[in-house]
């Protein structure tokens, strides 16, 4: 029986005792604990003395019963921290019509691990090389070492780690055959014994798909890369489950292995799917500090031509931009690539520049654990008008490539790691293109965890378009800066080539951010930041602008929501922003 389980049993016994001793008027009481601060916090959290303090049914007799049981209950709690020879006394004091329960704790010396006897048994020993590697890997997962303070949490963590590591590959029926801790209170030592039985090694069996009614089976089989007869690895099944759950046709997916109890030791794989309806309509209203109020409607049909193709129609209206799009998303091929075709119309008025863009294209994407790759080609025809009514009509047939690496401890709330995004694009004059160009772009963020809850990060962004005549290059392949996730303290896309009342895009871009977030309360953090950057026609004319400010961060279920008040030093202006983390 674990220590905490024993404590819970004592609570049940006490509850029964309260019912039996409930023969007086209810009383209120105070609790006083004389113990080191860490022990005092533990006892305040778990002792029944505290749990029952606010109850209106506690009588003098039941309170005395509770106080009498406190030393045994507290001793069980202290053993979870490694104190096995604690001396605990408790008493109930009644003075001036008031009750006070006092608890004195002398924790004594901590119990330390003297010996560890770890054995890995079973069929795994038939493969000496694999057994040796597995043993080294399992021993490295121990949270306890000889000489360490023995705690219940470290012991439980060790057992879970060891078992998970052996279950991860081949031996999916591994189990703990023996788990024992022998404590000698006289010398304050603990001898640990842990025996893990590997069970037989399994290979993958056939894959069975269940739950399909609306959609063709091939959209699932194209994503399955499990070889019958291949080595069982739990990560392969988990990756497949995550992949299937991301598909628009399914609301849920569970991938499980069902090991056979007798030879041959084969683990057939069962894929259980929960389909979503063929039609999906999404309506949303919102507000962006960059572009103002926003309304968006999206409709998707998830099985075009009974091939699992996803047809989409999207319309978006906001203060500065209107957009419409038709698209078809094709299921992933066995190569791991998925494909998309689209046509799009966008009309916007930002910083005095009116643009109307027609574009269409196709691209292919492959997503792996850390890296996303996108390769595509698109044709753009644009009409843009500045504040002086000068009209430009660039067009281009562009090939592009995007590479993103996300190595983060937590994508929803990153505190450690980095993101790197690299892009390249190009067009050749004469191939449905008015002016040849090559565009290179890169952005990176590095996160550091500071202390227990603070976060610091820096962001760097660089881009350049190599072209002779930028007036013949579509706006999508030039640069402007300013706004949330850029240079705060300045209006959205207000940093660029200023021409009268218009901010026109330039050929070069460089921005940077330094931000520090301090933990305030639970999921809330306070932030201070400095932004710097500009977009320009050339590096000679580049004139970086600085923004400083402070804000609040809330770690929501969908990501880190931010609210910032920023001051643009060069423009001498204040701006307020809402944002959802850094988007890559």
């Amino acid at each position: 029986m674990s220590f905490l389980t024993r404590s819970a049993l004592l609570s049940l016994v006490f509850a029964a005792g309260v019912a039996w001793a409930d023969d007086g008027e209810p009383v209120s009481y105070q609790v006083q604990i004389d113990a080191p601060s860490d022990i005092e916090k533990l006892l305040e959290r778990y002792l029944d003395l505290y749990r029952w303090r606010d109850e209106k049914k506690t009588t003098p007799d039941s309170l005395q019963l509770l106080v009498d049981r406190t030393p045994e209950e507290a001793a069980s709690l202290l053993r979870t921290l490694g104190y096995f020879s604690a001396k605990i006394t408790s008493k109930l004091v009644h003075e001036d019509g008031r009750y006070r329960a006092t608890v004195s704790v002398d924790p004594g010396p901590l119990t330390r691990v003297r010996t560890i006897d770890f054995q890995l048994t079973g069929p795994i020993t038939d493969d000496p090389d694999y057994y040796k590697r597995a043993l080294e890997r399992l021993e490295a997962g121990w949270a306890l070492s000889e000489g360490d303070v023995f705690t219940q949490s470290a012991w439980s963590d060790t057992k879970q780690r060891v078992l998970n590591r052996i279950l991860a590959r081949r031996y999916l029926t591994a189990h703990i055959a023996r788990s024992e801790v022998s404590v000698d209170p006289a010398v304050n030592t603990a001898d640990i014994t842990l025996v893990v039985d590997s069970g037989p090694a399994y290979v993958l069996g056939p894959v069975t798909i269940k739950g399909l009614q609306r959609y063709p089976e091939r959209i699932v089989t194209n994503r399955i890369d499990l070889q019958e007869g291949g080595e069982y690895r739990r990560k392969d099944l988990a990756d497949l489950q995550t992949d299937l759950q991301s598909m628009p046709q399914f609301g849920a997916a569970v991938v499980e292995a069902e090991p056979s109890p007798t030879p041959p030791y084969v683990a057939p794989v069962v894929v259980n799917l929960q389909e979503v309806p063929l039609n999906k309509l999404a309506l949303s209203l919102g507000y962006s500090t960059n572009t103002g109020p926003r309304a968006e409607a999206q409709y998707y049909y998830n099985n075009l031509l009974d091939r699992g193709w996803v047809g989409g129609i999207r319309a978006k209206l906001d203060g500065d931009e209107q957009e419409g799009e038709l698209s078809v998303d094709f299921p992933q091929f066995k190569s791991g690539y998925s494909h998309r075709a689209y046509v799009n119309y966008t009309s916007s008025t930002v910083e005095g520049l009116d643009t109307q863009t027609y574009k269409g294209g196709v691209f292919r994407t492959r997503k792996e654990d850390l890296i996303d790759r996108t390769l595509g080609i698109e044709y753009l025809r644009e009409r843009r008008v500045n504040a002086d009514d000068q009209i430009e009509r660039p067009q281009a047939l562009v090939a592009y490539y995007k590479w993103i690496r996300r190595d983060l401890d937590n994508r929803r709330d990153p505190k450690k790691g980095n993101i790197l995004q690299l892009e390249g694009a190009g067009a050749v004059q004469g191939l449905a293109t008015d002016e040849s160009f090559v565009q290179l772009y890169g952005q990176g963020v590095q996160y550091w965890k500071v202390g227990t809850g603070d976060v610091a990060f820096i962001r760097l962004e660089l881009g350049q378009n190599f072209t002779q005549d930028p007036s013949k290059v579509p706006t999508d392949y030039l640069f402007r800066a300013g706004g949330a996730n850029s240079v705060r303290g300045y209006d959205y896309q207000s940093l660029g080539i200023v021409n009268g009342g218009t901010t026109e895009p330039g050929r070069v871009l460089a921005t940077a951010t330094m931000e520090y977030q301090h933990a305030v309360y639970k999921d809330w953090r306070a932030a201070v930041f400095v932004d710097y950057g500009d977009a320009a026609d050339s590096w000679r004319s580049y004139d970086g602008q600085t923004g400083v400010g402070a804000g609040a961060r809330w770690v929501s279920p969908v990501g880190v929501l931010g609210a910032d008040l920023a001051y643009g030093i060069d423009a001498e202006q204040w701006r307020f922003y809402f944002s959802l983390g850094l988007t890559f």
Side-chain angles (χ1 to χ4, degrees):
M1 181 183 296
S2 73
F3 306 130
L4 288 178
T5 302
R6 185 178 181 184
S7 178
L9 181 58
L10 285 171
S11 297
L12 292 174
V13 171
F14 169 71
V18 168
W20 173 77
D22 193 8
D23 57 357
E25 291 295 326
V27 296
S28 60
Y29 62 92
Q30 295 179 332
V31 180
Q32 178 182 333
I33 293 181
D34 180 16
S37 59
D38 59 330
I39 295 175
E40 183 179 2
K41 290 178 181 178
L42 176 73
L43 299 181
E44 286 178 353
R45 184 173 182 181
Y46 293 109
L47 276 183
D48 284 338
L49 270 173
Y50 282 94
R51 292 176 53 204
W52 288 82
R53 186 172 53 178
D54 297 327
E55 290 290 328
K56 304 301 183 183
K57 299 179 180 180
T58 306
T59 66
D61 287 346
S62 61
L63 178 57
Q64 184 63 62
L65 177 62
L66 177 58
V67 171
D68 291 343
R69 294 183 183 277
T70 294
E72 186 177 357
E73 182 189 4
S76 294
L77 291 169
L78 263 63
R79 284 194 285 269
T80 68
L81 296 181
Y83 296 101
F84 284 81
S85 56
K87 297 178 180 178
I88 304 168
T89 60
S90 64
K91 64 180 180 178
L92 181 62
V93 179
H94 185 203
E95 294 177 345
D96 301 327
R98 298 180 179 181
Y99 288 88
R100 184 177 74 255
T102 63
V103 181
S104 298
V105 179
D106 177 7
L110 286 163
T111 295
R112 297 185 177 275
V113 177
R114 180 169 59 185
T115 62
I116 296 176
D117 179 14
F118 173 57
Q119 300 174 39
L120 179 58
T121 64
I124 193 172
T125 58
D126 296 337
D127 186 341
D129 291 338
Y130 187 86
Y131 170 76
K132 181 180 179 181
R133 294 195 304 270
L135 196 60
E136 292 173 351
R137 186 171 69 252
L138 295 177
E139 289 175 344
W142 278 69
L144 285 170
S145 301
E146 291 182 1
D148 288 351
V149 174
F150 176 84
T151 65
Q152 180 67 32
S153 60
W155 176 228
S156 299
D157 185 36
T158 292
K159 290 188 288 184
Q160 193 62 52
R161 283 192 199 180
V162 169
L163 189 58
N164 282 341
R165 291 192 179 193
I166 193 67
L167 288 170
R169 189 173 178 182
R170 293 190 185 182
Y171 301 95
L172 71 163
T173 59
H175 59 279
I176 293 177
R178 183 183 173 199
S179 170
E180 183 178 289
V181 178
S182 177
V183 176
D184 186 348
V187 292
N188 300 296
T189 59
D191 299 313
I192 292 175
T193 300
L194 181 63
V195 180
V196 175
D197 186 340
S198 70
Y202 281 85
V203 297
L204 293 172
V207 178
T208 302
I209 301 172
K210 297 180 179 180
L212 284 177
Q213 294 180 342
R214 300 184 180 98
Y215 302 110
E217 188 175 88
R218 61 178 171 271
I219 68 172
V220 178
T221 56
N222 281 346
R223 290 177 178 258
I224 296 175
D225 189 23
L226 302 175
Q227 302 298 322
E228 187 172 349
E231 181 182 81
Y232 165 85
R233 292 190 300 179
R234 185 168 56 183
K235 184 177 182 301
D236 293 341
L237 273 62
D239 288 346
L240 175 60
Q241 178 171 299
T242 300
D243 191 24
L244 294 174
Q245 287 175 336
S246 69
M247 295 179 66
Q249 291 89 353
F250 306 117
V254 177
V255 180
E256 296 177 312
E258 298 183 345
S260 60
T262 58
Y265 294 110
V266 177
V269 177
V270 179
V271 178
N272 288 286
L273 300 168
Q274 182 181 29
E275 296 180 327
V276 301
L278 291 168
N279 299 280
K280 178 183 178 181
L281 176 64
L283 304 174
S284 63
L285 296 173
Y287 181 84
S288 167
T289 47
N290 281 338
T291 58
R294 180 181 64 217
E296 187 169 2
Q298 301 177 74
Y299 169 76
Y300 296 101
Y301 182 75
N302 290 322
N303 195 21
L304 283 176
L305 303 178
D306 197 31
R307 293 177 176 268
W309 299 354
V310 179
I313 303 173
R314 182 170 63 91
K316 185 180 74 171
L317 301 173
D318 62 30
D320 295 327
E321 186 175 274
Q322 301 78 48
E323 182 180 1
E325 183 174 276
L326 299 175
S327 63
V328 178
D329 290 275
F330 302 93
Q332 178 177 298
F333 293 166
K334 282 193 173 292
S335 63
Y337 281 95
S338 57
H339 297 74
R340 189 170 196 260
Y342 63 94
V343 292
N344 177 284
Y345 169 77
T346 303
S347 175
S348 68
T349 303
V350 179
E351 292 297 313
L353 186 67
D354 291 337
T355 61
Q356 293 180 316
T357 305
Y358 300 86
K359 59 185 175 183
V362 295
F363 64 81
R364 63 187 315 206
T365 300
R366 180 167 183 168
K367 296 184 178 182
E368 300 173 353
D369 287 346
L370 300 178
I371 297 173
D372 294 351
R373 297 178 176 88
T374 301
L375 176 66
I377 185 168
E378 71 175 359
Y379 173 75
L380 300 89
R381 178 179 286 274
E382 183 177 76
R383 180 182 185 272
R384 62 183 177 222
V385 184
N386 63 20
D388 297 329
D389 291 329
Q390 294 178 329
I391 300 176
E392 297 170 344
R393 301 179 184 274
Q395 66 169 343
L397 180 63
V398 183
Y400 63 91
Y401 181 77
K402 180 189 293 187
W403 182 91
I404 303 176
R405 181 179 183 272
R406 301 178 181 90
D407 187 6
L408 302 170
D409 61 334
N410 185 318
R411 291 196 179 188
R412 182 176 66 91
D413 179 26
K415 294 185 178 70
K416 185 171 63 175
N418 53 71
I419 310 174
L420 180 62
Q421 175 179 337
L422 301 174
E423 296 182 24
V428 178
Q429 184 177 4
L431 294 178
T433 301
D434 293 336
E435 179 72 20
S436 297
F437 69 86
V438 172
Q439 184 208 51
L440 300 177
Y441 173 83
Q443 184 174 196
V445 180
Q446 177 67 50
Y447 293 90
W448 294 276
K449 184 177 181 180
V450 183
T452 57
D454 291 6
V455 182
F457 73 82
I458 60 172
R459 179 190 62 86
L460 298 174
E461 180 184 34
L462 288 171
Q464 182 165 358
N465 187 302
F466 299 89
T467 186
Q468 295 296 319
D469 187 357
S471 68
K472 296 180 179 179
V473 175
T475 302
D476 284 4
Y477 292 94
L478 297 171
F479 305 103
R480 288 189 286 184
N485 292 330
S486 181
V487 184
R488 286 163 287 188
Y490 301 84
D491 292 328
Y492 176 58
Q493 295 193 354
S494 64
L495 302 179
I497 303 170
V498 178
N499 182 8
T502 304
T503 300
E504 298 179 352
R507 286 183 286 187
V508 300
L509 169 76
T511 69
T513 293
M514 297 178 61
E515 180 166 310
Y516 188 90
Q517 300 174 6
H518 174 65
V520 177
Y521 177 73
K522 292 186 177 180
D523 293 329
W524 289 89
R525 296 197 286 263
V528 292
F529 57 84
V530 178
D531 295 338
Y532 180 83
D534 190 22
D537 185 56
S538 66
W539 295 116
R540 286 176 177 269
S541 58
Y542 179 89
D543 183 18
Q545 310 289 295
T546 303
V548 298
R553 304 287 180 267
W554 175 52
V555 184
S556 76
V558 296
V560 180
L561 296 176
D564 294 321
L565 181 62
Y567 180 70
I569 294 176
D570 299 273
E572 298 182 346
Q573 63 186 18
W574 291 92
R575 292 293 183 266
F576 183 76
Y577 302 95
F578 282 113
S579 62
L580 176 60
L582 291 172
T583 55
F584 278 73

